[in-house]
Amino acid sequence: MYSSTYLPDVHHARKELARLTAIETNLRKQIIDLRTNCRGNSSAETWATIYTERLQQNVRPGINECLKYLAKHS
C-alpha cells in the first residue's frame, strides 16, 4: 500500500504528484490502446487487467496521499 511517510516536504510531494499523474495517464492510454486495438487478444486483456489493478491499488492511492499531504502542508 502507498504511504506518504517518505514525503519529506511540499516540494517532494509536488514532484511525486506529477510523477504519479504521468504514470496514471500512461497506464490509462495503455489500457485504452489494448482494449481497442487488440480486442479479442487474451494476452492484451490480461495486461489491461494488470494495468487497471495497478491504477486502483497503487497509483490512485498514491495520488490521493499526495493531495492530502499538500492540502495539509501547503
Side-chain angles (χ1 to χ4, degrees):
M1 193 64 175
Y2 199 88
S3 173
S4 65
T5 56
Y6 74 96
L7 296 174
D9 56 34
V10 171
H11 172 73
H12 285 89
R14 286 185 180 138
K15 286 177 66 175
E16 181 66 1
L17 179 60
R19 185 184 77 82
L20 289 170
T21 303
I23 291 170
E24 178 184 38
T25 300
N26 185 45
L27 286 174
R28 289 185 187 281
K29 286 179 184 177
Q30 291 293 330
I31 293 165
I32 291 168
D33 183 53
L34 288 167
R35 290 199 170 142
T36 55
N37 296 330
C38 302
R39 178 168 262 164
N41 182 329
S42 63
S43 177
E45 187 55 39
T46 299
W47 280 106
T49 300
I50 290 169
Y51 293 158
T52 300
E53 288 174 0
R54 285 186 185 161
L55 272 173
Q56 293 170 346
Q57 295 174 3
N58 299 95
V59 179
R60 284 305 310 163
I63 289 171
N64 291 337
E65 284 287 328
C66 287
L67 290 172
K68 286 178 191 176
Y69 182 91
L70 289 169
K72 184 177 180 180
H73 294 92
S74 293

